[in-house]
Amino acid sequence: MMLEQLDRNSRIGVFDSGLGGLSVLNRAIELLPEEKFMYFADVDNVPYGDKTREQIVKYVDEAAGYMIEKGCKALVIACNSATSAGVSFLREKYDFLPVIGIEPAVKPAIAASVADKRVLVTATPVTIEGEKLKKLIEEYDRDSIVDKLPLPELAMMAEKELFEPEIVVPYLKEKLSGLDTSMYDFIVLGCTHFPFFSDSFKAILPGVRLIDGSDGTARYLKAMLEKYDITSLGDTFEQGKKVVYVKSGREVTDKQEIERIEGLNERWRKLSGLCD
Ligand code: DGL
């Protein structure tokens, strides 16, 4: 692809299969208050967790094409499943702009874990079974303290806003029933939808620390904007909305839909203190 001029006043494109990536968007807004964003939720194709890698690559390519067409200066794949399947493809195809992926926070969890305790990585099936997570664990898990647990239904529970502990707690208890949970210091929330359930994770496992990849991703985004010298100077901040929301290529303008998204942003702000 040809080298294109990137405009520091353009938006940063943040992309997920659905609304889970709002957890990353909000972290990025906290860290980069001068920036403007486009949030792309591929709601027509959610969930990605049970799709083939080939299908996911096709979806991320379409979403990236849309955001670049709209002039985004950087792309954040705020989806562990899409990063696992498609980040290499995107970086190769769109090599003129920074493409930032997210990965389960395995490395910081291992580094901060207390002696004799273990780390449990939770994610969608496609992330859990992926080569990327396997390599990440091989690289950092020197003492074999990491276990993996797929939670296939949780992302769609977030899409349907099924957050009530009466529904979520029994689901999580059932999934965790085969494990001795007293062994764990950390649970890695390796899907961007999962931080929306931090209250239920904490209700079941009060002594276990939760960690997600949003902080590392936001910090890496900031570093990449600096490296490419495309950090916004904030002088066009008043022009246009802070975040433009898009659902599978259709800009969200409906007031009720915007309110629904704002409600999820609010939920994230309320719960974000529960994650390390
Ligand atoms: N939010 C996504 C992730 O981080 C995927 C959820 C899904 O679509 O299955 O993995």
Side-chain angles (χ1 to χ4, degrees):
M1 203 128 196
M2 259 172 47
L3 188 72
E4 296 185 13
Q5 193 63 39
L6 299 173
D7 179 357
R8 63 168 69 249
N9 293 317
S10 297
R11 292 178 186 275
I12 296 165
V14 179
F15 159 71
D16 180 37
S17 59
L19 297 165
L22 293 173
S23 56
V24 181
L25 172 74
N26 282 288
R27 194 68 86 190
I29 291 174
E30 275 183 355
L31 191 67
L32 298 161
E34 307 287 10
E35 298 292 340
K36 287 187 292 183
F37 296 85
M38 169 174 284
Y39 183 84
F40 187 116
D42 192 12
V43 292
D44 289 358
N45 298 307
V46 69
Y48 282 5
D50 60 3
K51 303 287 190 307
T52 65
R53 309 185 85 74
E54 291 71 28
Q55 281 173 308
I56 297 173
V57 168
K58 182 176 164 284
Y59 301 149
V60 295
D61 188 22
E62 280 167 11
Y66 177 92
M67 291 185 286
I68 290 170
E69 177 75 31
K70 295 285 175 192
C72 288
K73 63 181 178 184
L75 300 182
V76 179
I77 313 178
C79 174
N80 293 267
S81 312
T83 301
S84 170
V87 71
S88 316
F89 170 85
L90 283 193
R91 285 194 180 133
E92 205 170 305
K93 179 164 178 182
Y94 303 106
D95 61 359
F96 54 88
L97 86 175
V99 177
I100 290 94
I102 187 167
E103 61 185 18
V106 169
K107 189 180 155 188
I110 292 174
S113 181
V114 299
D116 300 327
K117 286 275 187 179
R118 301 186 65 79
V119 168
L120 181 65
V121 181
T122 60
T124 64
V126 82
T127 301
I128 290 288
E129 287 151 22
E131 209 38 45
K132 228 171 174 301
L133 180 61
K134 192 169 159 246
K135 283 199 183 129
L136 188 66
I137 293 174
E138 271 168 15
E139 193 177 345
Y140 295 104
D141 188 17
R142 301 274 149 74
D143 300 320
S144 301
I145 61 163
V146 175
D147 299 318
K148 297 188 282 186
L149 179 70
L151 295 173
E153 293 82 11
L154 209 52
M156 280 314 281
M157 286 164 74
E159 290 297 313
K160 293 177 191 158
E161 295 187 57
L162 299 175
F163 295 126
E164 295 80 6
E166 298 73 29
I167 300 169
V168 184
V169 167
Y171 171 79
L172 291 178
K173 274 191 175 159
E174 203 265 312
K175 292 287 170 189
L176 291 162
S177 62
L179 300 166
D180 173 5
T181 51
S182 68
M183 298 186 305
Y184 295 109
D185 184 8
F186 274 102
I187 292 197
V188 175
L189 303 178
C191 166
T192 54
H193 285 75
F194 293 1
F196 289 93
F197 299 101
S198 300
D199 51 347
S200 289
F201 276 102
K202 277 285 181 191
I204 306 171
L205 306 163
V208 178
R209 293 187 275 175
L210 304 176
I211 186 164
D212 70 35
S214 61
D215 191 42
T217 306
R219 280 189 284 108
Y220 189 54
L221 167 63
K222 183 170 188 280
M224 291 305 271
L225 295 179
E226 284 162 7
K227 183 175 167 202
Y228 279 71
D229 193 23
I230 49 171
T231 302
S232 166
L233 301 175
D235 46 358
T236 59
F237 187 70
E238 294 308 326
Q239 294 168 24
K241 301 174 200 155
K242 175 82 180 155
V243 185
V244 170
Y245 294 102
V246 176
K247 287 192 167 177
S248 299
R250 305 174 296 275
E251 188 176 332
V252 179
T253 50
D254 181 68
K255 201 166 160 265
Q256 264 183 337
E257 277 204 63
I258 303 261
E259 274 170 16
R260 180 181 168 224
I261 294 169
E262 290 302 349
L264 287 165
N265 289 335
E266 187 52 43
R267 179 170 178 83
W268 179 85
R269 280 192 284 276
K270 231 174 68 194
L271 296 183
S272 66
L274 297 178
C275 275
D276 274 36

